[in-house]
Structure formats: structure tokens, C-alpha cells
Amino acid sequence: GERSFEGWAFKAQDAEETDDNIRPWIGGFIKAHGEEKAKNLLQGAGLPRGYAADNKNWTIMFLGEILAVNKTHGNDNRVAFDNFVRDFHFRKNQST
């Protein structure tokens, strides 16, 4: 799937359930290492190598194409994702 901040945010917006399987593990990890060390050890976990919020490595490959049109043709999920991306970037640009 899409590996971008927008892709993550799109999937997260409709998440009614959470996967709490990590909670017992993370609690034990923090208890074993202490909060500060655990925080340092897990810093960046789950993010692509070299990720930074302002880095272009974690952006949509076809962002320009999505933003260049007002309507997407394709399956429902593609249309919903592209509409989400347009709205996301419109709101982002309005706040700056």
C-alpha cells in the first residue's frame, strides 16, 4: 500500500478498533529499561530509514498528479484516498 504520511492518516481516520496487542509488551519493555531509555531505543521505530517530517522520502510518489485534478477516476478506495489527499493538502496550505 501507500507508504506515506497521507496513506497512514487516511487509514487512521476510519479506524474504529485499535490493535492493543502491543500494550503488554511495551509496558514490560518500559519497566525493564526505564521510560527514558525505552523512548530512546524505540525512537523512529516503524518509520522508513532516514524519515524526517520535511523529507521527501516519505511522500506520495504521484502527489503532483493527484493535486493537479479535481476528480479521480477509478475504484472507490482510490477515489476516497485521492479526495482525502486533496483535502489534507488544502487544509495544510490554509494553515500556513
Side-chain angles (χ1 to χ4, degrees):
E2 178 65 48
R3 292 181 183 254
S4 63
F5 179 79
E6 293 88 348
W8 172 83
F10 177 70
K11 291 175 183 173
Q13 74 176 345
D14 293 329
E16 293 179 17
E17 298 178 18
T18 60
D19 183 356
D20 286 338
N21 293 332
I22 190 71
R23 288 183 190 263
W25 178 88
I26 198 75
F29 186 82
I30 292 169
K31 188 175 180 180
H33 297 286
E35 188 173 337
E36 194 62 32
K37 185 174 181 183
K39 181 180 173 183
N40 289 335
L41 289 169
L42 294 173
Q43 184 176 6
L47 296 173
R49 184 174 302 213
Y51 170 76
D54 59 349
N55 188 330
K56 299 293 184 197
N57 290 338
W58 211 47
T59 59
I60 300 173
M61 287 177 55
F62 304 106
L63 180 61
E65 293 176 21
I66 294 171
L67 297 177
V69 296
N70 290 324
K71 186 174 182 180
T72 298
H73 300 282
N75 65 46
D76 291 344
N77 195 43
R78 172 65 189 266
V79 170
F81 178 72
D82 285 7
N83 288 338
F84 174 85
V85 169
R86 284 187 206 94
D87 185 57
F88 178 86
H89 282 274
F90 175 76
R91 284 183 282 121
K92 181 178 168 185
N93 289 334
Q94 293 297 312
S95 66
T96 56

